Amino acid sequence: MAESLPEHERILQEIESTDTACVGPTLRSVYDDQPNAHQRFMEKLDACIRNHDREIEKMCNFHHQGFVDAITELLKVRADAEKLKVQVTDTNRRLQDAGKEVIAQTEEIIRCRIQQRNITTVVEKLQLCLPVLEMYSKLKEQMKVKRYYSALKTMEQLENMYLPRVSQYRFCQIMIENLPKLREEIKEISMSDLKDFLESIRKHSDKIGETAMKQAQQQKTFNTALQKQNNVNYGRNMYAINGRVPEPKYEITSKRTLEEEDEHEEEVLTAHDLVDFSPVYRCLHIYSVLGDGETFENYYRKQRRKQARLVLQPQSSMHETVEGYRRYFSQIVGFFVVEDHILHVTQGLVTRAYTDELWNMALSKIIAVLRTHSSYCTDPDLVLELKNLIVVFADTLQGYGFPVNRLFDLLFEIRDQYNETLLKKWAGLFRDIFEADNYSPIPVANEEEYKIVISKFPFQDPELDKQSFPKKLPMSQSVPQIYIQVKEFIYASLKFSESLHRSSTEIDDMLRKSTNLLLTRTLSSCLQNLIKKPHIGLTELVQIIINTTHLEQACKYLEDFITNITNISQETVHTARLYGLSTFKDARHAAEGEIYTKLNQKIDEFIQLADYDWTMSESAGRASGYLMDLINFLRSTFQVFTHLPGKVAQTACMSACQHLSTSLMQMLLDSELKQISMGAVQQFNLDVIQCELFASSEPVPGFHGDTLQLAFIDLRQLLDLFMVWDWSTYLADYGQPTSKYLRVNPSTALTLLEKVHRGMKDTSKKNNIFAQFRKNDRDKQKLIETVVKQLRSLVNGMSQHT
């Protein structure tokens, strides 16, 4: 208990000295002490309060007199205060009366100051609004004069700089609402201008392309002339003509060195000179500013693709004239020149990938179109002009970086077609030459005529040179003409090979292959058809053989001619050879075969004129007229053969004699001929003797001994058997190598004997009034019957043995 009292005093001291907000922890400690501490603390607190009350009371008692004195002093001052209040009130009244006028003037001043402040505010706001109105007025003016790109920039300034400052005004809201409409209007107008531009370049693309191709050709001509001056081989030239800055292309006016070009060259034009590209630039800028550049790019590319398809669609009659092809190429070149120009002067509107894709699509279509339409061309001159156009077309576009290798590959296909048209044309020329030829040796009256002929055809004959004029060259007029036409064909074929960017070796190979086609197909076919024509006689065939011999000899000169053109030696490994030798050999063999055929046909015609009286009692004593005519024909014909190679003439002569012998034998053995008198046999024997005499007269030199007479050996032995009636010898020696009648077949002998037998029977009937002959006839008939039996047995024995 004694310990808690000092603690309570300490707590009371803390309460008295501590801020009221901090009393809480002190009071809490009262309750944390021992039990009944609270009661004891309250008692201690009451005691403390009583002490303080006694101290306050003491202090009040101490100061009470001073308080009374102060109150007394205040009461004394109240009267003075009342007087002062009256004076102050009067002063205030007079002051209020005096201040009314000041207040009125002050209010006027305030009103004027407010007006002045409002005016200042209006001026400030107008100064903010005036630039907006001026910019909007400027915008309207720009729209009016069609300066749309500037108008868009003005709109951008209005939106970003001016309108935000005065956005609280209603007219600004109206402006803000109008700006999107103006933008749409600008887009529509610029798109309309773009459509007009696209229509314009569609119309002008052919002119642009024509100018580009002309400049490419001029540049190529200039480079070729320059290379010739510098003795430089032809090279591959690159062309470009869009006139882009700062690298000018095809500015030939600054490079001309030839006086003729100075006189005739026109001012170099570019795509920009021919077409106003400002609409596309303007439209691109406008759409870019509006943030719609992708839409514009897609629209532009879509429309250009459509135009590309239209440009690539040819006219149905394009293949009829070179102008149709030129117009087609000009439009395509113009299209891609424009695209190249757009590619280099804009960013992103046209990309290289896009142009490459467009070109690949176009190239496939172009190649397909050219394949189709060139196949309709039958005129080689038109095909050649088409080739030149394709070369210029390819070189022009190559100058813009477009790959054109496929076009040059196409030219090789067209080259084959060109060769086909040339072959058809030259086939007609060859036919005309053959039709106009007289198939007789070329007469030359003097040295001048001779030089004219050998200047056209490489003919050399030392023996002929020794002869005096007038003289005849062995070949006919068609030979030098054919030779000239073959050279012309080579020139024509060479024209196509020019400017194809191929090596001399490739050109040489192309020339030789095309010439081989001309010789082995065209000329060979013409010769074969000529040989087969009905009106070509033996004389003409002989001349054709002579002509082909000289043409064959001239083939080496044609090879030299090609070598001189291409400067490729014939010894080069890959050099093709001309197949003219085989062509002319084949033609010559065909002509020889035709000679044999026509000679035999002529012999058959004479044989058909034979008019034997098979029942004559005795011969006329001389050979038949048809046979003598035939022999005279053969003799004159073989005289013409003197210019033929010996083997050909000998073969023709042997063939003719064999065919004559066979025809005469068939005449005797003809199944329709039922009987032959011995007089007819004798007459036939006289005819065969004439044939033998003709054979022994050596109508064609070169036969050894009796070689030609052996053609009639079968007839001779058969007729000798009947003329001598030497059946006993024939039957006795049959089958022996030394038999006199070795070439007589039993069946042939039997057939003729039966006909003679029937003839003898008929003669006996007519002469039965002569009794002295009957016995001889009967004996002879018995002999014949015996011989017939033996011959039949021989024939049957041969058939059984077979």
Side-chain angles (χ1 to χ4, degrees):
M1 182 69 180
E3 294 177 358
S4 61
L5 294 175
E7 180 66 21
H8 291 163
E9 292 176 359
R10 184 186 62 80
I11 291 172
L12 290 174
Q13 290 176 359
E14 286 183 5
I15 291 172
E16 291 176 354
S17 60
T18 304
D19 189 7
T20 306
C22 299
V23 174
T26 303
L27 294 177
R28 189 178 298 113
S29 63
V30 175
Y31 296 94
D32 292 337
D33 288 338
Q34 297 174 2
N36 299 321
H38 176 262
Q39 183 65 35
R40 289 193 294 272
F41 176 74
M42 293 302 295
E43 293 174 355
K44 188 65 178 177
L45 180 62
D46 291 338
C48 184
I49 291 171
R50 285 192 297 271
N51 289 334
H52 283 297
D53 288 339
R54 285 192 295 269
E55 289 177 2
I56 291 170
E57 184 178 355
K58 288 177 181 181
M59 186 174 290
C60 289
N61 292 328
F62 179 76
H63 292 287
H64 177 71
Q65 186 59 43
F67 176 74
V68 172
D69 292 340
I71 294 299
T72 303
E73 288 295 326
L74 286 174
L75 291 175
K76 291 178 180 181
V77 176
R78 177 183 295 178
D80 294 333
E82 289 292 337
K83 185 187 294 186
L84 179 60
K85 179 179 178 182
V86 172
Q87 291 177 352
V88 169
T89 302
D90 182 60
T91 302
N92 180 56
R93 180 183 55 76
R94 290 197 304 271
L95 180 62
Q96 291 294 328
D97 293 337
K100 287 181 180 178
E101 184 177 354
V102 174
I103 291 172
Q105 291 179 355
T106 301
E107 289 178 352
E108 182 65 23
I109 291 173
I110 292 173
R111 188 179 61 81
C112 290
R113 290 289 176 86
I114 293 173
Q115 288 180 350
Q116 183 181 9
R117 186 185 61 190
N118 290 340
I119 291 171
T120 302
T121 303
V122 168
V123 170
E124 291 175 355
K125 297 302 181 182
L126 285 175
Q127 287 176 345
L128 286 176
C129 292
L130 279 176
V132 176
L133 296 172
E134 289 174 356
M135 290 297 289
Y136 195 80
S137 176
K138 180 181 177 182
L139 172 62
K140 287 294 186 179
E141 184 65 24
Q142 289 170 340
M143 292 289 292
K144 183 177 180 181
V145 297
K146 298 182 179 181
R147 295 174 56 194
Y148 301 116
Y149 182 70
S150 300
L152 287 174
K153 290 296 183 182
T154 303
M155 288 186 202
E156 187 176 351
Q157 292 179 354
L158 277 171
E159 287 180 327
N160 297 332
M161 295 176 58
Y162 295 96
L163 289 178
R165 300 174 185 174
V166 291
S167 59
Q168 67 273 23
Y169 301 113
R170 190 174 62 180
F171 77 90
C172 291
Q173 295 300 322
I174 296 174
M175 289 183 181
I176 292 172
E177 292 174 359
N178 284 338
L179 290 182
K181 297 178 182 179
L182 291 175
R183 284 195 175 92
E184 288 300 321
E185 181 181 351
I186 291 174
K187 286 178 67 174
E188 292 176 0
I189 293 173
S190 61
M191 185 58 71
S192 176
D193 291 343
L194 177 65
K195 292 178 181 178
D196 294 340
F197 165 78
L198 292 174
E199 181 66 20
S200 175
I201 59 174
R202 189 184 69 81
K203 292 179 179 178
H204 290 86
S205 60
D206 55 344
K207 181 63 176 177
I208 296 172
E210 181 183 351
T211 303
M213 293 174 68
K214 183 186 296 183
Q215 292 170 7
Q217 199 164 16
Q218 290 170 350
Q219 181 68 22
K220 183 178 180 180
T221 302
F222 171 79
N223 290 339
T224 302
L226 192 62
Q227 288 174 351
K228 287 182 178 179
Q229 290 176 0
N230 298 331
N231 295 321
V232 177
N233 291 332
Y234 294 137
R236 189 173 186 176
N237 300 320
M238 301 292 289
Y239 307 106
I241 59 170
N242 66 358
R244 293 192 299 268
V245 178
E247 182 181 357
K249 299 183 178 181
Y250 288 113
E251 300 222 355
I252 299 178
T253 52
S254 63
K255 298 180 180 179
R256 294 184 198 133
T257 58
L258 303 177
E259 293 182 359
E260 292 182 359
E261 290 185 353
D262 286 337
E263 295 176 0
H264 300 291
E265 287 286 341
E266 297 178 357
E267 183 182 358
V268 177
L269 299 176
T270 64
H272 199 276
D273 296 327
L274 297 172
V275 176
D276 179 16
F277 285 89
S278 58
V280 72
Y281 305 152
R282 186 164 56 245
C283 196
L284 175 61
H285 291 158
I286 288 171
Y287 272 76
S288 298
V289 169
L290 295 176
D292 208 8
E294 185 177 353
T295 301
F296 173 73
E297 291 173 10
N298 293 335
Y299 177 81
Y300 176 83
R301 294 182 183 184
K302 180 180 179 181
Q303 294 302 315
R304 289 297 279 166
R305 285 182 186 276
K306 289 182 179 179
Q307 289 188 347
R309 293 188 182 94
L310 291 175
V311 166
L312 295 172
Q313 189 66 33
Q315 294 182 353
S316 58
S317 60
M318 183 178 74
H319 61 277
E320 296 177 356
T321 62
V322 69
E323 288 302 321
Y325 287 108
R326 182 176 286 110
R327 192 179 307 109
Y328 180 68
F329 288 134
S330 297
Q331 289 177 348
I332 296 173
V333 170
F335 178 89
F336 283 99
V337 166
V338 169
E339 289 304 287
D340 182 79
H341 183 80
I342 295 294
L343 172 67
H344 288 87
V345 299
T346 62
Q347 294 182 351
L349 178 58
V350 174
T351 63
R352 176 56 66 183
Y354 162 77
T355 55
D356 289 345
E357 178 190 355
L358 200 59
W359 169 245
N360 290 331
M361 180 273 291
L363 188 58
S364 299
K365 178 66 174 178
I366 292 167
I367 290 174
V369 167
L370 292 179
R371 275 202 187 104
T372 301
H373 283 263
S374 63
S375 63
Y376 299 145
C377 294
T378 57
D379 182 7
D381 294 333
L382 180 57
V383 178
L384 183 61
E385 290 183 354
L386 172 60
K387 167 256 172 183
N388 293 332
L389 280 176
I390 293 176
V391 170
V392 175
F393 172 74
D395 288 344
T396 303
L397 288 174
Q398 192 176 46
Y400 290 94
F402 296 105
V404 294
N405 292 335
R406 291 173 62 190
L407 284 175
F408 285 102
D409 294 339
L410 173 66
L411 283 175
F412 277 85
E413 298 179 23
I414 297 179
R415 181 202 65 189
D416 295 336
Q417 183 183 343
Y418 175 71
N419 285 337
E420 289 297 324
T421 58
L422 284 182
L423 292 175
K424 290 179 182 179
K425 179 179 178 179
W426 257 256
L429 294 175
F430 289 152
R431 285 193 296 268
D432 294 341
I433 290 172
F434 289 141
E435 288 293 334
D437 195 8
N438 57 8
Y439 298 98
S440 58
I442 301 174
V444 287
N446 49 49
E447 184 73 21
E448 184 179 353
E449 291 183 5
Y450 180 73
K451 288 182 178 179
I452 292 174
V453 174
I454 62 175
S455 67
K456 299 177 181 178
F457 182 77
F459 174 75
Q460 295 177 354
D461 188 347
E463 295 297 327
L464 186 65
D465 292 341
K466 296 176 182 178
Q467 299 178 14
S468 60
F469 292 99
K471 52 188 175 183
K472 292 183 177 181
L473 303 182
M475 63 279 190
S476 65
Q477 288 287 353
S478 63
V479 172
Q481 293 175 359
I482 291 293
Y483 184 79
I484 291 172
Q485 287 303 323
V486 173
K487 291 173 67 175
E488 290 297 326
F489 177 87
I490 294 172
Y491 277 128
S493 183
L494 177 64
K495 287 180 181 179
F496 196 93
S497 302
E498 294 174 349
S499 304
L500 290 186
H501 308 308
R502 297 293 172 176
S503 65
S504 298
T505 303
E506 291 175 300
I507 293 176
D508 180 87
D509 185 62
M510 288 188 287
L511 287 180
R512 291 179 185 273
K513 286 182 179 179
S514 59
T515 306
N516 277 331
L517 282 176
L518 178 73
L519 297 177
T520 59
R521 197 172 79 184
T522 305
L523 183 55
S524 175
S525 176
C526 291
L527 284 171
Q528 296 291 342
N529 293 334
L530 174 67
I531 291 168
K532 297 295 182 181
K533 286 187 175 181
H535 70 275
I536 298 296
L538 292 171
T539 304
E540 288 81 1
L541 289 171
V542 170
Q543 188 61 55
I544 289 172
I545 292 176
I546 297 171
N547 290 350
T548 54
T549 302
H550 288 284
L551 287 172
E552 179 182 341
Q553 295 170 355
C555 281
K556 61 179 182 179
Y557 296 100
L558 289 175
E559 290 194 344
D560 294 339
F561 178 70
I562 295 176
T563 299
N564 291 334
I565 291 176
T566 60
N567 294 322
I568 299 298
S569 174
Q570 299 179 29
E571 284 71 26
T572 304
V573 176
H574 301 290
T575 302
R577 309 294 297 180
L578 293 184
Y579 303 142
L581 299 178
S582 61
T583 297
F584 296 121
K585 284 180 180 177
D586 293 343
R588 192 158 52 251
H589 291 158
E592 292 169 4
E594 195 66 19
I595 285 178
Y596 306 149
T597 301
K598 286 188 178 295
L599 199 55
N600 293 342
Q601 289 175 351
K602 201 67 178 177
I603 291 173
D604 291 339
E605 291 176 6
F606 279 100
I607 294 294
Q608 290 175 1
L609 298 176
D611 188 17
Y612 284 103
D613 182 5
W614 298 108
T615 61
M616 65 173 58
S617 57
E618 58 182 18
S619 66
R622 62 181 182 277
S624 302
Y626 85 92
L627 189 70
M628 296 306 297
D629 293 341
L630 172 58
I631 290 174
N632 291 333
F633 165 75
L634 292 176
R635 204 179 298 277
S636 61
T637 299
F638 290 139
Q639 287 178 355
V640 179
F641 287 8
T642 54
H643 296 293
L644 287 175
K647 185 178 179 181
V648 177
Q650 293 170 14
T651 304
C653 187
M654 177 59 75
S655 174
C657 291
Q658 289 176 345
H659 183 72
L660 176 58
S661 175
T662 303
S663 298
L664 291 174
M665 180 68 78
Q666 290 175 350
M667 188 184 299
L668 282 177
L669 303 178
D670 187 4
S671 59
E672 295 183 0
L673 181 60
K674 301 301 182 182
Q675 60 182 21
I676 301 176
S677 66
M678 285 304 298
V681 172
Q682 293 170 1
Q683 182 63 43
F684 202 84
N685 183 56
L686 291 175
D687 293 345
V688 174
I689 290 173
Q690 289 298 321
C691 293
E692 293 173 328
L693 290 174
F694 169 73
S696 62
S697 66
E698 197 175 7
V700 172
F703 286 108
H704 299 288
D706 299 334
T707 302
L708 193 58
Q709 291 175 270
L710 291 176
F712 300 97
I713 188 66
D714 292 355
L715 271 176
R716 172 48 47 212
Q717 291 186 6
L718 179 63
L719 291 174
D720 285 348
L721 178 60
F722 278 86
M723 294 298 295
V724 180
W725 207 254
D726 195 6
W727 293 105
S728 58
T729 303
Y730 174 75
L731 294 172
D733 296 343
Y734 177 74
Q736 297 181 9
T738 58
S739 174
K740 181 180 178 180
Y741 305 103
L742 182 63
R743 303 297 294 266
V744 179
N745 188 285
S747 61
T748 303
L750 176 61
T751 301
L752 185 57
L753 182 59
E754 289 176 341
K755 293 182 179 184
V756 171
H757 187 198
R758 285 192 288 270
M760 292 178 65
K761 285 182 179 180
D762 186 65
T763 302
S764 298
K765 291 178 181 179
K766 293 179 181 179
N767 298 331
N768 56 6
I769 56 174
F770 301 100
Q772 65 270 25
F773 293 110
R774 287 179 191 166
K775 188 175 183 302
N776 293 336
D777 290 341
R778 285 197 301 270
D779 294 340
K780 199 169 187 178
Q781 288 179 4
K782 288 180 180 180
L783 175 61
I784 291 174
E785 291 174 356
T786 303
V787 172
V788 167
K789 290 179 181 180
Q790 293 180 353
L791 288 174
R792 283 176 178 168
S793 65
L794 288 176
V795 171
N796 292 332
M798 289 176 61
S799 60
Q800 291 176 1
H801 178 72
T802 302

